Amino acid sequence: MVTAPQSDWGVSTEAARLHRQAIVWDMHGCMPLRPDADLGEIARYARAGASFISLNVGFDLVPWSEAVKIAAHFRAWVLAHPERYLLADTAADVRRAKREGKLAVAFDLEGARALDGQISMIAAFYRLGVRSMLLAYNAHNEFSAGCTGADTGLTPLGRQAIAEMNRVGMIVDCSHMGCRSTMEVLEISAAPVVFSHSNPSALNRHHRNIGDGQIRACAATGGVIGINGVGRFLGDPETRSETIARHVDYVAQLVGAAHVGLGLDCVFDLDELDAFHKNHPGSFPEGSAWTRDQARFAQPEQLPEITENLLRLGYSEADIGGILGGNFLRVAEQVWT
Ligand SMILES: [Zn+2]
């Protein structure tokens, strides 16, 4: 029996070659949200061939003062490990990370409550390394409706936040927000908008997933939809790479392969997740109140398998390069200043 030659990643030689060449970009990962967290596990992204990870430094349930401290600590941690990591201030920094075999890191915020109502905090967070932000995390806040509850759209403060993000060069993210709010963002943003980690509801109906209209409007801004690896949102409790590729394929068929990427949303500290769910049951979409045993997330190690699955679906090298990271890199090039 002839077996195909395998690489270190356990994928075919062809997939390994493509994966090694590509700038692999994960638009959302969740390290422990503590101002003394050890971020050592981000090495797993690098080992899986990634050149970029965006780590969240807060979401709407984290007090703004804590988010500032977490961002400051994450920044200091990355700067203290220059042999393996670098802070991505610009798209050029991500290209440099690829050349030097390092992992570039930027930060994101899941919810504008981190601003404590003050628009000038956007520029302050930008200086700390926050390169994308969504306005409301599941529940509504003073900026926007979330994907649960009444879909009341953006508030005047939310509109001001979008204008300021456009001005400072922070990517506007629509994941976790209410449908109407996202359509308003997609209409008013002067720069490409992303869904950093959202899957098509056509494949699995869930509050956190998004409709074809949202996907089309996002692509029309030049933006990218990052497919996430949460079992509940994929509709696959095993979070198989094949399923992730199927979600990528759906979006690519709808709006073109230039508008799809990855935002796997891997959560590393499941105890912390348990505690957030237990202490804030109303803040998560119905049906997502998981127990630790049910909390399934695609792991960074699946990145090469996703490449393999895209090859199997018949995607060209150029399209795969875009999906793995070239598409988000394009947005970063346009938006980050
Ligand atoms: Zn999220």
Side-chain angles (χ1 to χ4, degrees):
M1 193 174 79
V2 179
T3 52
Q6 300 287 303
S7 76
D8 299 343
W9 288 315
V11 294
S12 68
T13 308
E14 176 66 354
R17 185 183 63 78
L18 265 179
H19 196 75
R20 207 167 276 124
Q21 276 174 8
I23 287 187
V24 178
W25 181 297
D26 187 333
M27 196 55 179
H28 191 64
C30 308
M31 294 307 291
L33 283 173
R34 292 193 307 268
D36 61 351
D38 178 1
L39 305 187
E41 281 211 77
I42 60 172
R44 291 173 55 196
Y45 290 102
R47 283 199 294 271
S51 293
F52 176 86
I53 177 69
S54 179
L55 299 176
N56 73 310
V57 291
F59 67 117
D60 272 347
L61 300 178
V62 172
W64 72 270
S65 54
E66 197 68 5
V68 171
K69 286 162 76 176
I70 292 166
H73 168 69
F74 280 21
R75 182 180 177 85
W77 193 96
V78 173
L79 290 172
H81 298 81
E83 68 294 342
R84 299 175 83 172
Y85 307 110
L86 62 84
L87 275 171
D89 284 331
T90 63
D93 289 333
V94 182
R95 291 189 190 280
R96 183 160 62 86
K98 176 69 185 171
R99 277 198 309 276
E100 297 178 358
K102 294 177 184 172
L103 178 67
V105 183
F107 309 128
D108 63 77
L109 279 168
E110 294 191 278
R113 290 194 68 193
L115 309 180
D116 197 31
Q118 189 172 311
I119 295 295
S120 60
M121 288 283 281
I122 291 170
F125 272 115
Y126 193 83
R127 288 191 168 222
L128 284 171
V130 173
R131 288 292 177 274
S132 63
M133 180 175 76
L134 56 93
L135 293 190
Y137 185 89
N138 299 342
H140 78 277
N141 61 20
E142 65 269 49
F143 296 86
S144 168
C147 64
T148 62
D151 196 2
T152 47
L154 292 179
T155 67
L157 194 62
R159 288 171 185 270
Q160 278 180 48
I162 300 300
E164 178 66 357
M165 290 172 78
N166 287 162
R167 191 187 71 80
V168 307
M170 190 182 282
I171 294 174
V172 180
D173 181 4
C174 283
S175 286
H176 287 281
M177 292 167 61
C179 180
R180 183 178 147 198
S181 306
T182 66
M183 294 307 277
E184 290 173 1
V185 169
L186 292 161
E187 197 182 312
I188 66 172
S189 176
V193 173
V194 306
F195 284 91
S196 63
H197 57 302
S198 291
N199 293 352
S201 31
L203 294 188
N204 182 39
R205 285 195 76 79
H206 191 286
H207 289 77
R208 269 284 283 113
N209 289 351
I210 57 175
D212 289 359
Q214 289 166 290
I215 293 169
R216 283 201 187 93
C218 176
T221 71
V224 175
I225 294 93
I227 297 303
N228 86 35
V230 179
R232 295 247 168 160
F233 309 154
L234 286 167
D236 175 5
E238 302 304 319
T239 71
R240 284 167 299 182
S241 302
E242 192 187 327
T243 312
I244 295 170
R246 205 152 49 77
H247 281 249
V248 167
D249 184 50
Y250 180 85
V251 175
Q253 301 269 355
L254 190 68
V255 290
H259 301 286
V260 201
L262 300 171
L264 290 186
D265 200 8
C266 183
V267 174
F268 289 78
D269 185 343
L270 296 179
D271 289 335
E272 180 182 79
L273 182 71
D274 277 351
F276 275 121
H277 276 270
K278 213 165 105 197
N279 299 332
H280 307 274
S283 298
F284 295 89
E286 209 177 297
S288 75
W290 44 48
T291 67
R292 191 189 166 112
D293 293 341
Q294 297 167 323
R296 292 233 165 79
F297 300 90
Q299 301 297 303
E301 288 74 14
Q302 288 177 244
L303 287 165
E305 283 176 23
I306 294 169
T307 301
E308 179 94 280
N309 277 281
L310 292 172
L311 263 176
R312 273 188 206 141
L313 288 173
Y315 281 88
S316 69
E317 265 190 44
D319 282 349
I320 293 174
I323 293 163
L324 289 176
N327 297 335
F328 272 129
L329 180 67
R330 180 191 73 229
V331 172
E333 250 154 10
Q334 287 173 268
V335 180
W336 296 348
T337 50

